[in-house]
Amino acid sequence: MKSLRLLTWLDVRRTICRKTYYGSKLPDGVVRIRCFSDALEIGLKNDQSIENANNTLKEWFGDWYQEDQSIIQLDLGDATLPVEFILGEEASTIDISIRPFWEEIAYIENDSEIKNVIEKQVKLPDAYTEKPNLIAFYSFKGGVGRTLNLAAHLFALLDRAKELDLSINVLVIDADLEAPGLTYWNRSEKQQPSVSLIDFLEVYHYSPIEREQTLSLFAREVKKSSKYEGKSTVYFLPACLDDDQLLDTPILPEQLVRSPTT
């Protein structure tokens, strides 16, 4: 009786990721495995590696893999996923840079394996030679962990300051005007800021008084909602004060960047 369900090529990909620990432990002779919607590509060193690749696919997929036709049978109708063997490939020597994606650790089973993968395959970022004054958590798309990584970095920074008995000041700005997760998260706090990033963009771009005076007034408002962790102080500037602000944003960050006077 079959124990797996292969509804689409994505289920095939998940099985391979699980069996290879996200590509960190490939079978002998296999250089790479890439799964697409129209085919499964397996790069091999030479034709002697085909037999081992076939045996591995039979071990992973059982009756789903039909060696004589080089296909993986899916469970929806008569759908299949072709398997293509590409000979004469060499293993990549390019380091893998670590990224904050859950996908890269989802198929690692325990801490020792994570450590092994990181040491052998993943290139960690270089340590700061000087303390950065600004750190941006940015992505072209949502759902990749920006909010979570920022929060983790902030908590780690504050914990380290406690360990060293240091006093640090941190300003956290939620600049995501499409999905302001930090702003919504902060709304559970009793003490709420009286100004937002949208307010800042507008008063900076169209200040009715001297700009330096405007910045001083704005900074004082931000300080009114400070929070304390040990000896450290955290200031937070939300993206908006209420959701209505998000519906009418005449001034955007890129307009400040393009201004010749800023």
Side-chain angles (χ1 to χ4, degrees):
M1 180 178 178
K2 293 182 177 180
S3 58
L4 296 175
R5 294 188 65 191
L6 303 178
L7 301 180
T8 69
W9 69 276
L10 293 171
D11 292 312
V12 174
R13 179 182 179 273
R14 291 188 186 99
T15 300
I16 293 173
C17 287
R18 188 179 305 112
K19 296 294 185 179
T20 64
Y21 302 104
Y22 200 68
S24 64
K25 295 182 179 180
L26 296 175
D28 291 339
V30 175
V31 173
R32 66 175 180 87
I33 302 178
R34 297 288 184 271
C35 195
F36 304 98
S37 60
D38 57 351
L40 174 65
E41 288 187 1
I42 301 180
L44 303 174
K45 292 181 179 179
N46 48 54
D47 54 4
Q48 285 79 31
S49 304
I50 294 180
E51 182 179 357
N52 185 50
N54 276 318
N55 291 336
T56 300
L57 290 175
K58 286 187 286 186
E59 178 185 344
W60 289 350
F61 296 101
D63 293 340
W64 276 274
Y65 178 57
Q66 300 176 20
E67 181 180 353
D68 56 337
Q69 301 180 57
S70 290
I71 60 172
I72 295 176
Q73 182 71 47
L74 302 181
D75 287 335
L76 291 180
D78 296 325
T80 61
L81 185 69
V83 178
E84 300 176 0
F85 297 107
I86 303 175
L87 305 178
E89 294 205 358
E90 297 293 335
S92 174
T93 58
I94 300 175
D95 290 330
I96 300 173
S97 296
I98 194 168
R99 302 171 300 175
F101 294 161
W102 294 121
E103 178 185 358
E104 300 194 0
I105 62 171
Y107 300 100
I108 307 298
E109 291 188 345
N110 56 54
D111 291 341
S112 64
E113 285 171 326
I114 292 176
K115 184 174 184 295
N116 181 60
V117 171
I118 289 177
E119 288 179 349
K120 290 188 175 181
Q121 283 199 322
V122 176
K123 177 178 172 56
L124 295 173
D126 296 329
Y128 292 121
T129 55
E130 297 180 1
K131 294 181 179 179
N133 294 319
L134 173 66
I135 300 177
F137 293 81
Y138 177 80
S139 172
F140 285 102
K141 69 182 295 294
V144 298
R146 287 172 301 183
T147 301
L148 182 62
N149 277 274
L150 185 149
H153 185 89
L154 174 64
F155 296 152
L157 188 65
L158 294 173
D159 286 345
R160 184 58 174 163
K162 282 183 180 180
E163 292 177 4
L164 299 177
D165 196 29
L166 295 177
S167 173
I168 61 174
N169 296 319
V170 181
L171 170 61
V172 178
I173 301 175
D174 187 355
D176 191 341
L177 300 181
E178 295 183 354
L182 289 170
T183 297
Y184 295 144
W185 192 355
N186 189 68
R187 285 181 181 176
S188 62
E189 298 290 332
K190 293 182 179 180
Q191 190 172 2
Q192 292 297 312
S194 60
V195 290
S196 68
L197 174 66
I198 292 177
D199 294 328
F200 171 77
L201 295 176
E202 293 177 358
V203 301
Y204 191 84
H205 198 70
Y206 288 119
S207 178
I209 59 178
E210 290 294 327
R211 186 167 287 168
E212 291 299 322
Q213 186 179 355
T214 298
L215 293 176
S216 296
L217 291 171
F218 207 88
R220 286 199 292 270
E221 290 300 318
V222 171
K223 288 181 179 179
K224 290 180 181 179
S225 58
S226 58
K227 298 179 178 64
Y228 301 96
E229 186 69 25
K231 294 182 178 181
S232 300
T233 306
V234 179
Y235 306 97
F236 178 65
L237 183 64
C240 61
L241 295 181
D242 54 63
D243 292 347
D244 289 344
Q245 275 193 314
L246 296 175
L247 303 178
D248 179 21
T249 53
I251 305 300
L252 298 174
E254 56 263 33
Q255 289 174 282
L256 296 188
V257 174
R258 293 170 183 164
S259 173
T261 60
T262 57

